[in-house]
Amino acid sequence: MHQHVQLKIEKPASELKDPVCGMTVTASSPHHTQFDGNDYYFCAAHCLHKFKADPKKYLPHPTTVQALEVTRGPDAPPQIASEWTCPMHPEIRRSKSGSCPICGMALEPVALEAEAQENPELIDLTRRFRVAVALSVPLVGLVMGDMLFAHALFSLMAPAARSWLEFALATPVCTWAAWPFFRQFALSLKHRSLNMFTLIGLGVSVAYGYSAVALILPGAFPPSFRDEHGGVALYFEAASVIVALVLLGQVLELRARSQTGSAVRKLLGLAPHSARLVAADGEHDVPLQQVKVGDLLRVRPGEKVPVDGVVTDGQSNIDESMVSGEPVPVHKKPGDRVVGATLNGQGSFIFRAEKVGSETLLARIVALVAQAQRSRAPIQRLADVVASYFVPLVVLSSMLTFVVWSLVGTEPRMAHGLLNAVAVLIIACPCALGLATPMSIMVAMGKGAGLGVLFRDAEAIEILRNVDTLVVDKTGTLTVGSPRLTSIEVEPGLTENELLALVASLEAASEHPLAASIVQDAQQRGIALSRCDSFESITGKGATGLVTGRRVAVGNAALMASLQVPADHFAERLEAMRQQGQTAVLVAVDAQVVGLLGISDPIKESTPEAIAALQREGLQIVMLTGDAPGTAQAVAARLGIETVFAGLLPEEKANKVKALQQEGHTVAVAGDGINDAPALARAQVGIAMGTGTDVAMHTAGVTLVQGDLRGIVRARRLSRITMTNIRQNLFFAFVYNAVGVPIAAGALYPLLGVLLSPMIAAAAMSFSSVSVIGNALRLRNAAL
């Protein structure tokens, strides 16, 4: 039996969206209406009128807009039902993968299943790409070999036979392999939304169609366009190469997009599949979806807490790093709250379920991450925006060329008009435009990987250069991420090693997480441990025992008070340690305090240099942490960070990021834990530590492989030079078209009597692509 749980994503008033255009509006907007019991607000009157004319057109099914549907079986991990949408046009909703009918962009799932599913579109385009490459390579070799090797290939084959061989190789590529582009080309015309696929469809169909006509009906063309062998020039290889290059770009894009759901899948995998129900007839395991609010559940040692609730009986230490990011487990006793998917330690306890299904903290984190990930970089929309203006101009230029030559051109007017119109379309083919952005991005990602900076998408590269505020987590980002013994104070009469030998011998028998850091330090110093007798762990206070015949007590001031060991004269020193962000531990031997231990999460060696470098770059540094205010302030003071928010839950971190964005800041968030995932997804750029969790890395747009914040400085510099490189590529692409289109149209004919053959047009088109690729490759040698 399956249960469907709705993960509601409620939007506050400050986040109201115009359902027609998607712009952010407020409840004070004068343009508003009601439909189906809900209020809707608009940016302007024309959006309001469009909505009133057909509300359902702008309101996808509520279960797909306001909810992510989770399906879970008793023996399977949670899953999210699939529905597909366009990242640029969210009003488009489909029950299966495909392409957007407006822009032609590949649809992506609204939500993801726990198990990665095969993308049928990726499989199909990959197959088409392989066929296109397999046929285009010999086709190009057949044509180019003629030019490079003094007609060596031409001498082995009759001209007619070679032309028909070119036709045979190109036809499967320009029909079957290119069919998805023709379909999207047709949709762009149907919806009157011209885009890159309009250019691709025109370029391929004209180049191939012209060549096919020239092969089948060579007599239709004038003698001036025949080569020395009397044949008409063919451009099958140009059409095939266009198809292969565009397919390559589509395959790379779909592969990258298929990995964007990894973060949600990792989060879904955190939840346990069952819970141990404490009922009147005893205890027994039940599927997680059967747990109801008010049920009593037992959590045994080493198990995950199934849902959110409150402890009613028993005590234990729980690893809540998923929520707070802090490595030190938290002691739980009756009355304390526990969070689903956190990991229990050695104790056993019973708690009452208070939040289940979509109300749990984990479910809310899943919803936040899934919602934030359905966004796209403006850079990915640039080509389509440009094409919406460029395509009509090219088509108009081609038609105008044909009309002018047909009316006032030299004889044969119709043939010249047709050929010049074809030359305009071929020279304006979008290879260079299509390659301008992805080539630079691909090279930049490779360059970044060599520097220990991994970019997940183009959005991060584009926006990182504009970031003015860097939000950092504390634990694992600024600090090492695990508690360590950082200071020892010893009273006269004992050495540090002697004190540590007594304490470590006692703590070796303890299960407390801080005990492990003390034992580890002793082992690193080569200190031999002794046997501990009469060991006793006192919950919430510390531990006592006999070590080499001496009564040793290690714990807080409350432990010393209960043992009637005077420790008041250590109060100032204890407070000084706390202000430095350390957990202070008193050590008593034979009823006398003989030392203090300070345990903390130390700052990474590279962090001070990194923070200073980032501040020199003009970035405002803000710390958001789930740790206690005292510890957070101590770390911030040592690093020169002025703005600190402590004790925050994952949702509160995301809200702080949102507040900074509403103030007009471009925000990057650096973090390493599951608790940072919503903030990482909310930020314009998320930066994950490679030493942190997989969820953080899959949520972030940038991953620092070594967890070194100095990588952000390098990443920002790479972002700047990459965007400059992209602008140069776009300049190359358009300069060729700006110069080539008029020449192809016959602008030089009145002055020089020169017409641009479609073959020259194809060569110019290819040269523009080579220029773009060569310029992008320069990024490999960029100095950072």
Short mmCIF file of all heavy atoms in Angstrom, two decimals, residues 2 23 66 84 111 253 258 312 355 359 372 402 412 459 461 506 519 534 539 569 598 620 651 661 731:
data_model
loop_
_atom_site.label_atom_id
_atom_site.label_comp_id
_atom_site.label_asym_id
_atom_site.label_seq_id
_atom_site.Cartn_x
_atom_site.Cartn_y
_atom_site.Cartn_z
N HIS A 2 0.60 2.16 -0.86
CA HIS A 2 1.38 3.38 -0.96
C HIS A 2 0.59 4.54 -0.37
O HIS A 2 -0.64 4.56 -0.38
CB HIS A 2 1.75 3.70 -2.41
CG HIS A 2 2.73 2.74 -2.98
ND1 HIS A 2 2.39 1.45 -3.32
CD2 HIS A 2 4.04 2.90 -3.26
CE1 HIS A 2 3.45 0.84 -3.80
NE2 HIS A 2 4.47 1.71 -3.79
N MET A 23 6.65 37.92 -12.87
CA MET A 23 7.31 38.97 -12.12
C MET A 23 6.86 38.96 -10.66
O MET A 23 5.75 38.57 -10.33
CB MET A 23 7.02 40.34 -12.74
CG MET A 23 7.69 40.58 -14.09
SD MET A 23 7.40 42.25 -14.70
CE MET A 23 8.21 43.23 -13.41
N GLN A 66 1.91 23.71 -6.29
CA GLN A 66 2.02 23.94 -4.86
C GLN A 66 2.55 22.73 -4.09
O GLN A 66 2.73 22.81 -2.89
CB GLN A 66 0.65 24.33 -4.30
CG GLN A 66 0.10 25.61 -4.86
CD GLN A 66 0.93 26.81 -4.45
OE1 GLN A 66 1.53 26.80 -3.40
NE2 GLN A 66 0.99 27.81 -5.29
N TRP A 84 6.89 17.26 -15.84
CA TRP A 84 7.94 17.96 -16.55
C TRP A 84 7.53 19.39 -16.87
O TRP A 84 6.38 19.65 -17.21
CB TRP A 84 8.30 17.22 -17.84
CG TRP A 84 8.79 15.83 -17.56
CD1 TRP A 84 8.03 14.74 -17.20
CD2 TRP A 84 10.14 15.37 -17.57
NE1 TRP A 84 8.83 13.64 -17.00
CE2 TRP A 84 10.13 13.99 -17.24
CE3 TRP A 84 11.36 15.97 -17.86
CZ2 TRP A 84 11.27 13.23 -17.16
CZ3 TRP A 84 12.51 15.20 -17.79
CH2 TRP A 84 12.47 13.85 -17.45
N ALA A 111 9.77 17.53 -10.02
CA ALA A 111 10.34 16.88 -8.84
C ALA A 111 10.96 15.57 -9.28
O ALA A 111 10.70 15.08 -10.37
CB ALA A 111 9.25 16.64 -7.79
N GLU A 253 24.06 19.14 -22.64
CA GLU A 253 23.13 19.86 -21.78
C GLU A 253 22.23 18.89 -21.01
O GLU A 253 22.03 19.03 -19.79
CB GLU A 253 22.28 20.81 -22.61
CG GLU A 253 21.26 21.57 -21.78
CD GLU A 253 20.33 22.42 -22.63
OE1 GLU A 253 20.62 22.61 -23.82
OE2 GLU A 253 19.31 22.88 -22.10
N SER A 258 20.56 16.08 -16.04
CA SER A 258 20.09 14.85 -15.38
C SER A 258 20.71 14.67 -14.01
O SER A 258 20.22 13.90 -13.20
CB SER A 258 20.41 13.63 -16.26
OG SER A 258 21.80 13.44 -16.37
N THR A 312 9.90 11.38 25.55
CA THR A 312 9.05 11.16 26.72
C THR A 312 9.72 10.28 27.76
O THR A 312 9.39 10.35 28.94
CB THR A 312 7.72 10.52 26.30
OG1 THR A 312 7.99 9.26 25.65
CG2 THR A 312 6.96 11.43 25.34
N LYS A 355 5.39 15.71 14.23
CA LYS A 355 5.33 16.12 12.84
C LYS A 355 5.70 14.94 11.97
O LYS A 355 6.74 14.33 12.16
CB LYS A 355 6.27 17.30 12.57
CG LYS A 355 5.86 18.58 13.28
CD LYS A 355 6.79 19.73 12.94
CE LYS A 355 6.35 21.01 13.63
NZ LYS A 355 7.26 22.14 13.31
N GLU A 359 5.37 17.53 7.01
CA GLU A 359 5.60 18.51 8.06
C GLU A 359 6.97 18.36 8.71
O GLU A 359 7.40 19.24 9.45
CB GLU A 359 4.51 18.39 9.14
CG GLU A 359 3.10 18.66 8.62
CD GLU A 359 2.98 20.05 8.01
OE1 GLU A 359 3.52 21.00 8.60
OE2 GLU A 359 2.36 20.17 6.95
N ALA A 372 14.20 25.46 -5.39
CA ALA A 372 15.25 26.39 -5.78
C ALA A 372 16.06 25.90 -6.96
O ALA A 372 16.60 26.69 -7.73
CB ALA A 372 16.16 26.65 -4.58
N PHE A 402 16.25 37.73 -52.51
CA PHE A 402 15.61 37.03 -53.63
C PHE A 402 14.73 37.98 -54.45
O PHE A 402 14.77 37.98 -55.68
CB PHE A 402 14.78 35.86 -53.10
CG PHE A 402 14.06 35.09 -54.17
CD1 PHE A 402 14.75 34.18 -54.97
CD2 PHE A 402 12.71 35.29 -54.40
CE1 PHE A 402 14.09 33.48 -55.97
CE2 PHE A 402 12.05 34.60 -55.39
CZ PHE A 402 12.75 33.69 -56.19
N PRO A 412 20.93 35.25 -65.24
CA PRO A 412 19.53 34.87 -65.00
C PRO A 412 19.07 35.34 -63.61
O PRO A 412 19.64 34.93 -62.61
CB PRO A 412 19.54 33.35 -65.10
CG PRO A 412 20.93 32.97 -64.71
CD PRO A 412 21.84 34.08 -65.15
N GLU A 459 25.31 29.07 -14.76
CA GLU A 459 24.78 30.14 -13.92
C GLU A 459 25.80 30.58 -12.89
O GLU A 459 26.00 31.78 -12.65
CB GLU A 459 23.50 29.67 -13.22
CG GLU A 459 22.87 30.73 -12.34
CD GLU A 459 21.58 30.25 -11.70
OE1 GLU A 459 21.29 29.05 -11.77
OE2 GLU A 459 20.85 31.08 -11.15
N ILE A 461 29.06 30.36 -13.02
CA ILE A 461 30.17 31.08 -13.66
C ILE A 461 29.75 32.51 -13.98
O ILE A 461 30.52 33.46 -13.80
CB ILE A 461 30.62 30.35 -14.94
CG1 ILE A 461 31.18 28.98 -14.59
CG2 ILE A 461 31.66 31.17 -15.69
CD1 ILE A 461 31.62 28.18 -15.79
N LEU A 506 40.57 7.81 31.77
CA LEU A 506 39.17 7.82 32.21
C LEU A 506 38.21 7.88 31.02
O LEU A 506 37.26 7.10 30.93
CB LEU A 506 38.94 9.01 33.14
CG LEU A 506 37.48 9.27 33.56
CD1 LEU A 506 37.00 8.16 34.49
CD2 LEU A 506 37.35 10.63 34.24
N VAL A 519 40.97 11.45 23.93
CA VAL A 519 41.73 10.21 23.73
C VAL A 519 42.58 10.30 22.48
O VAL A 519 43.75 9.88 22.46
CB VAL A 519 40.77 9.01 23.67
CG1 VAL A 519 41.53 7.73 23.34
CG2 VAL A 519 40.01 8.85 24.99
N SER A 534 35.97 1.44 38.42
CA SER A 534 34.82 2.14 39.02
C SER A 534 34.36 3.31 38.15
O SER A 534 33.98 4.38 38.66
CB SER A 534 35.18 2.64 40.42
OG SER A 534 35.61 1.58 41.25
N THR A 539 25.14 11.67 33.53
CA THR A 539 24.52 12.33 32.38
C THR A 539 24.45 13.84 32.59
O THR A 539 23.98 14.32 33.61
CB THR A 539 23.11 11.78 32.15
OG1 THR A 539 23.19 10.37 31.95
CG2 THR A 539 22.47 12.43 30.93
N HIS A 569 37.12 29.35 42.08
CA HIS A 569 38.24 30.19 41.65
C HIS A 569 38.62 29.98 40.18
O HIS A 569 39.48 30.67 39.65
CB HIS A 569 39.46 29.93 42.55
CG HIS A 569 39.88 28.50 42.59
ND1 HIS A 569 39.11 27.49 43.16
CD2 HIS A 569 41.02 27.89 42.14
CE1 HIS A 569 39.74 26.34 43.06
NE2 HIS A 569 40.90 26.54 42.44
N GLY A 598 40.30 22.70 27.12
CA GLY A 598 39.46 23.44 26.18
C GLY A 598 39.29 22.63 24.91
O GLY A 598 40.27 22.25 24.25
N GLN A 620 31.30 41.61 1.28
CA GLN A 620 30.80 41.63 2.65
C GLN A 620 30.68 40.19 3.12
O GLN A 620 30.05 39.37 2.47
CB GLN A 620 29.44 42.32 2.72
CG GLN A 620 28.77 42.24 4.10
CD GLN A 620 27.33 42.71 4.06
OE1 GLN A 620 26.80 43.06 3.01
NE2 GLN A 620 26.67 42.71 5.21
N GLU A 651 15.96 26.37 7.66
CA GLU A 651 15.01 27.30 7.04
C GLU A 651 15.35 28.74 7.39
O GLU A 651 15.19 29.65 6.57
CB GLU A 651 13.59 26.96 7.49
CG GLU A 651 13.04 25.68 6.91
CD GLU A 651 11.66 25.35 7.45
OE1 GLU A 651 11.57 24.92 8.60
OE2 GLU A 651 10.69 25.52 6.71
N GLN A 661 19.09 39.24 -0.17
CA GLN A 661 18.77 39.42 -1.58
C GLN A 661 17.73 40.52 -1.77
O GLN A 661 17.81 41.31 -2.72
CB GLN A 661 18.26 38.10 -2.17
CG GLN A 661 19.35 37.03 -2.27
CD GLN A 661 18.79 35.67 -2.62
OE1 GLN A 661 17.66 35.35 -2.28
NE2 GLN A 661 19.58 34.86 -3.29
N PHE A 731 30.69 38.49 -30.11
CA PHE A 731 31.11 39.54 -31.04
C PHE A 731 31.59 38.93 -32.35
O PHE A 731 31.19 39.36 -33.44
CB PHE A 731 32.22 40.37 -30.41
CG PHE A 731 32.84 41.38 -31.34
CD1 PHE A 731 32.20 42.57 -31.63
CD2 PHE A 731 34.06 41.12 -31.94
CE1 PHE A 731 32.76 43.49 -32.49
CE2 PHE A 731 34.63 42.03 -32.81
CZ PHE A 731 33.99 43.22 -33.08
#
